[in-house]
């Protein structure tokens, strides 16, 4: 007699949760945010304020841009129940390709960029093909890819570094968006705020920050109103206010810092726009929904009419394109392509996604989580470097942070299960 | 002397009494058969005996070789010489026959395996069970029938006193079955006592010395088979039961033929020489509930899944017509678009994304109806989920509850909601009430009746014959991949279904 599933579990009770209960059941989302704030506060103190200086904030964004760009694709790959170990190598290879095309073969920058993105897509598709249609484990396929593209970069660059790039290309990573507001406004704002070291404030950056913060709050309020309309359980009001104030303040703060240096980096725009697009895709499109279903229960997804093979294939193709984009940014930032570019970077990307709350088993994870995870790692890297902590300790600490984040996840899940 | 005596065994699961004062006596040196319908309690009884449900989790007494025994686990009962071979074999396919036989019981001294002795003893055991394979052959490379023999050899290696075979021939072909039964008789000559659990009454008659019939968790009869036994006697004892008020009232007037499947053939996806479905033809009328009866492993699920987007099997041939038009069911989404839905028998592994919400699961098979272009309208999703929550009386505080937290009956309703939202013409339900309580069953029957009243065609696959008799207008009987009979509700009875199955 098959009675393994007893049918007597009472339906969960409807009740308003107390703040403590709410926190314990949503510890993961808040935990990540708290961790980021705590880590930043810690380094801000121990580095005597260096961490949040305008130059360093700009640097922090530039340094982590390629990790974040790749984390967007990796999140989708991991949610679909796979992994991509080849992204570091692919990134390096695309950088090498760009260098050879521009420096050695004298191709135009736009043509090179388009070619590189297409080649990235083809690389992702080639790997995705074996994973999706031949059911070869993605770990194996992309491990092979990692070796192949590492080798191809070496071959392409003939073991040498190739560079420098023309100014036009460097702008991808090192350029800043020019202030559209009159310079005099920025100057007078600087005077008004009595900032001594800076004589000009970039108004575009500052106003972008304020607009973004307002958007976050507006979207949050709208969502909350709708949740109420549909009787969806929502976070306590105090949490909602606290969270939104923190996020909005952080946005304005970062943008303010940027406005004191050189304004909005081009990369930040690329990164921000991509993050918004991917957050939208994963949360509110049918294809995003299907990826979560695929990772959550592949068999059930397939029996619901979802073309699971094609989705897997697309996830890898998309990853390839993003790895290529990251490769271009990375090469432009270093102003040279080296055979070692992207070495072991896939591990940072994967770590960011897992710290952001994704599950190895698939079906779980968010874009925002992955981005915050990447920033957490980035702040750790940056803070420890400023403190002069050796690379040996840095590696150990990063490893332990990853382990702690995942243990925290599993612990939470067991407690709830 | 009785080798085994189980006295007044009762076992309760939350809400259900699975065993109610069952008595079982097995004589030394005999073959004893335990028969009953699916869900009658046979497997539960064997789990009590083998220690899967340890002492303290059941009531009653077990005497083995005259002594009371209290097993705390399966290794405990094995030590005493009680060995059970389950329907799903417990062999490691990647290991050799010899390695499997001595798994966990290796011929070894201080951790070093003595391969010469292992192979020699394996050869002896294989000779005993009449299996002419080398000890080094991988289990993966031999058929199910031979794997069954390996299991028996493994049992013999452990000094077995009481061998329990749970549906040993369910997956076997005719001649393999015969070989296995002959081996049981041979082992009996050597003094091994066995219990065989089986549906197949001809096999029971062939080997058993005595028969215990279990129904609804109770011992119905103990029959002596030595003087010959008629199948009719056993069938009557297996099925006799009251069935009033378990099913909602309904009056149906089926219309024209809605779904027509002709000459459906399916081969096994891995064992390509095995034909799983043989020339199956059936139809469903509008507003009709059609049952498919048969034992587990008879091919019912395979039939349904192969029709639903070729989700099972290979070399599928045959035609599917809906409203007199041939439809393309070659992929799941085409089948859904054509108007066919299939509610799987295994809601947890095949039906639901358990870590996701009711809303997520409800709309999953028909996202197009809750989106404009590629963009989901989550409010519309919520509305849809709420609508089905109300219509199907899914008991949950909100549609944002993860389905993993729901009870079996409510989970089943979510799966039904998912498929109802695809607006199917024909709904195939595979074991729609398995593992859910009586109240939820009644509600699901009501939903099925409502669907039929709307003019949909319903195919209902079930192992519970009373359910089919209580719900269906027509019943097809399936056995070994073929539809062997068709009964109208008026003519159908459990006896007739059972005899169609066992007479094959």
């Amino acid at each position: 007699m098959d009675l393994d599933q007893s049918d007597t579990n009472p339906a969960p009770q409807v009740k308003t949760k107390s703040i403590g209960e709410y926190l314990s059941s949503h510890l993961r989302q808040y935990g990540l945010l708290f961790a980021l704030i705590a880590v930043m506060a810690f380094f801000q103190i121990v580095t005597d304020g260096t961490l949040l200086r305008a130059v360093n904030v700009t640097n922090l964004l530039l340094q982590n841009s390629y990790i974040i760009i790749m984390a967007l694709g990796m999140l989708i790959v991991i949610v679909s129940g796979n992994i991509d170990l080849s992204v570091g190598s692919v990134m390096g290879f695309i950088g090498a390709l760009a260098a050879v095309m521009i420096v050695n073969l004298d191709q135009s920058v736009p043509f090179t960029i388009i070619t590189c993105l297409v080649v990235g897509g083809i690389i992702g598709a080639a790997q995705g093909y074996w994973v999706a249609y031949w059911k070869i484990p993605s770990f194996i396929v992309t491990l092979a890819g990692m070796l192949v593209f590492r080798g191809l970069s070496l071959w392409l660059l003939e073991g040498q570094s190739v560079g420098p790039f023309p100014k036009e290309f460097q702008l991808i990573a090192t350029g800043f968006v020019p202030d559209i507001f009159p310079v005099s406004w920025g100057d007078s704002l600087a005077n008004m705020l009595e900032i001594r070291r800076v004589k000009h404030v970039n108004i575009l950056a500052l106003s972008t920050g304020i607009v973004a913060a307002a958007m976050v709050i507006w979207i949050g309020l709208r969502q909350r109103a709708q949740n109420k309309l549909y009787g969806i359980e929502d976070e306590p009001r105090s949490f909602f206010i606290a969270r939104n104030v923190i996020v909005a303040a952080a946005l304005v703060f970062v943008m303010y810092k940027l406005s004191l240096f050189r304004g909005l980096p081009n990369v930040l725009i690329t990164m921000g726009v991509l993050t918004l697009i991917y957050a939208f895709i994963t949360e509110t499109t049918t294809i995003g929904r299907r990826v979560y279903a695929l990772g959550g229960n592949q068999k059930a997804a397939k029996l619901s009419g979802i073309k699971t093979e094609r989705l897997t294939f697309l996830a890898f193709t998309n990853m390839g394109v993003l790895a290529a984009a990251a490769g271009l940014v990375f090469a432009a930032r270093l102003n040279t392509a080296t055979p070692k570019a992207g070495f072991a970077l896939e591990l940072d990307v994967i770590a960011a996604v897992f710290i952001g709350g994704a599950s190895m088993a698939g079906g779980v994870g968010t874009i925002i989580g992955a981005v915050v995870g990447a920033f957490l790692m980035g702040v750790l890297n940056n803070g420890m470097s400023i403190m002069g902590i050796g690379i040996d300790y840095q590696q150990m600490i990063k490893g332990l942070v990853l382990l702690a984040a995942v243990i925290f996840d599993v612990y939470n899940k067991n407690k709830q299960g | 002397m009785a080798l085994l005596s189980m006295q007044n065994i009762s076992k309760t699961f939350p809400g259900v009494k699975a065993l109610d004062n069952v008595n079982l006596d097995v004589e030394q040196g005999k073959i004893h058969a335990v028969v009953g319908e699916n869900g009658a309690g046979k497997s539960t009884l064997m789990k009590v005996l083998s220690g899967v449900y340890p002492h303290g989790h059941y009531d009653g007494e077990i005497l083995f070789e005259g002594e009371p025994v209290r097993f705390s686990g399966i290794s405990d009962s094995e030590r005493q010489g009680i060995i059970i071979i389950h329907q799903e074999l417990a062999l490691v396919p990647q290991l050799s026959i010899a390695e499997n036989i001595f798994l966990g019981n290796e011929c070894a001294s201080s951790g070093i395996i003595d391969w010469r002795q292992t192979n020699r003893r394996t050869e002896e055991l294989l000779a005993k069970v009449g299996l002419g394979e080398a000890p080094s052959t991988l289990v993966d490379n031999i058929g199910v029938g031979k794997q069954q023999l390996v299991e028996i050899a493994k049992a013999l290696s452990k000094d077995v006193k009481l061998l329990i075979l749970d549906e040993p021939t369910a997956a076997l072909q005719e001649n393999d079955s015969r070989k296995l039964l002959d081996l049981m008789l041979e082992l009996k000559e050597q003094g091994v006592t066995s219990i065989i659990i089986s549906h197949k009454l001809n096999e029971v008659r062939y080997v058993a010395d005595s028969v215990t019939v279990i129904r609804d968790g109770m011992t119905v009869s103990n029959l002596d088979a030595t003087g010959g036994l008629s199948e009719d006697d056993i069938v009557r004892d297996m099925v006799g039961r009251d069935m009033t008020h378990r099913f909602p009232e309904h009056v149906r007037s089926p219309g024209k033929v809605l779904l027509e499947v002709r000459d459906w053939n399916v081969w096994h996806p891995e064992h390509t020489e095995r034909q799983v479905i043989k020339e199956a033809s059936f139809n469903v009328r509008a507003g009709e509930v059609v049952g498919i009866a048969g034992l587990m492993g008879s091919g019912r699920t395979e039939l349904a899944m192969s029709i639903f987007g070729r989700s099972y099997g290979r070399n599928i041939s045959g035609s599917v017509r809906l409203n007199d038009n041939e439809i393309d069911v070659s992929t799941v989404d085409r089948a859904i678009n054509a108007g066919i839905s299939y509610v799987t028998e295994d809601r947890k592994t095949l039906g639901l994304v358990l870590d996701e919400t009711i809303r997520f699961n409800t709309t999953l098979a028909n996202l197009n109806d809750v989106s404009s272009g590629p963009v989901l309208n989550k409010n519309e999703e919520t509305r849809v989920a709420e609508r089905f929550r109300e219509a199907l009386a899914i008991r949950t505080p909100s549609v944002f509850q993860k389905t993993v937290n729901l009870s079996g009956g409510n989970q089943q309703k979510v799966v039904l909601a998912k498929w109802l939202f695809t607006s199917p013409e024909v709904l195939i339900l595979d074991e729609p009430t398995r593992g859910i309580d009586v109240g939820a069953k009644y509600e699901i029957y009501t939903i099925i009746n409502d669907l039929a009243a709307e003019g949909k065609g319903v195919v209902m696959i079930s192992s519970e014959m009373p359910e089919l008799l209580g719900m269906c207008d027509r019943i097809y009987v399936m056995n070994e991949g073929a539809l062997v009979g068709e009964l109208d509700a008026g003519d159908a009875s459990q006896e007739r279904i059972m005899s169609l199955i066992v007479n094959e």
Side-chain angles (χ1 to χ4, degrees), chain A residues 205-403:
Chain A
L206 191 57
S207 44
T208 306
I210 292 167
V211 169
M215 293 258 294
V216 165
I217 291 173
W218 182 68
I219 290 172
L221 284 173
R222 214 180 64 144
Q223 184 65 47
R224 206 171 158 79
Q226 273 189 352
N227 287 355
K228 203 165 191 177
L229 201 64
Y230 288 95
I232 302 168
E233 188 213 2
D234 217 330
E235 59 187 345
R237 181 190 295 265
S238 53
F239 273 79
F240 175 76
I241 294 171
R243 186 171 55 86
N244 278 285
V245 165
I246 291 173
V247 171
L251 269 173
V252 174
F253 179 78
V254 167
M255 291 302 189
Y256 170 67
K257 287 290 179 183
L258 293 178
S259 74
L260 298 185
F261 187 55
R262 293 174 59 190
L264 290 176
N266 289 341
V267 179
L268 180 67
I269 303 294
T270 313
M271 211 162 76
V273 169
L274 284 176
T275 303
L276 288 179
I277 290 173
Y278 279 94
F280 181 77
I281 290 175
T282 52
E283 280 165 31
T284 31
T285 64
T286 50
I287 195 166
R289 174 63 59 82
R290 288 177 177 138
V291 172
Y292 281 90
L294 160 66
N297 186 343
Q298 179 169 2
K299 287 176 183 164
K302 209 173 160 89
L303 281 174
S304 299
I306 293 171
K307 297 186 180 83
T308 51
E309 285 92 0
R310 196 159 79 186
L311 268 187
T312 307
F313 176 75
L314 288 176
F316 277 93
T317 308
N318 174 65
M319 181 74 252
V321 175
L322 288 174
L328 293 172
V329 171
F330 190 81
R333 184 172 149 73
L334 289 193
N335 197 14
T336 174
T338 73
K340 291 210 77 160
F343 184 73
L345 214 61
E346 57 279 343
L347 301 179
D348 281 1
V349 175
I350 292 167
V353 173
F354 285 133
I355 288 175
S359 155
M360 187 83 207
V364 179
T366 60
I367 286 289
I368 302 300
V371 170
V372 175
F375 267 117
L376 188 69
M377 290 294 261
V379 172
L380 276 173
N381 275 333
N382 184 278
M384 289 191 291
S385 299
I386 298 172
M387 282 175 71
I389 294 178
I391 191 83
D392 41 1
Y393 286 105
Q394 285 198 22
Q395 296 280 5
M396 285 189 258
I397 290 169
K398 273 161 51 182
L400 293 175
V401 166
L402 171 63
L403 184 64

Side-chain angles (χ1 to χ4, degrees), chain B residues 37 66 73 106 191 355 369:
Chain B
E37 283 187 286
E106 289 83 1
D355 262 342
D369 275 7

Side-chain angles (χ1 to χ4, degrees), chain A residues 1-14 226 230-233 280 283-287 289-290 292-294 296-297 299-307 363-364 413 416, chain B residues 13-14 18 39 43-44 308 311 332-333 336 344 348-350 352-353 355-356 360 363-365 367 371 374-376 378-379 381-383 395 397 400-401 407-409 418-419 434-435 437:
Chain A
M1 198 169 215
D2 182 11
L3 283 168
D4 288 339
Q5 315 115 328
S6 78
D7 206 42
T8 52
N9 310 338
Q13 294 297 305
V14 195
Q226 273 189 352
Y230 288 95
I232 302 168
E233 188 213 2
F280 181 77
E283 280 165 31
T284 31
T285 64
T286 50
I287 195 166
R289 174 63 59 82
R290 288 177 177 138
Y292 281 90
L294 160 66
N297 186 343
K299 287 176 183 164
K302 209 173 160 89
L303 281 174
S304 299
I306 293 171
K307 297 186 180 83
V364 179
K413 194 162 187 198
Q416 282 174 18
Chain B
F13 291 102
S43 298
T44 312
F308 187 62
S311 304
V332 174
D333 60 317
I336 294 172
T344 57
K348 289 194 174 181
T349 60
L350 301 178
L352 294 169
V353 184
D355 262 342
E356 293 289 355
F360 183 108
T363 58
L364 188 61
L367 288 175
S371 57
V375 182
L376 284 171
K378 290 190 181 178
N379 295 336
E381 277 194 278
T382 310
R383 266 193 288 276
R395 272 176 272 288
F400 298 92
Q401 189 67 232
S407 68
K418 173 169 97 173
W419 290 113
R434 174 180 290 175
D437 66 24

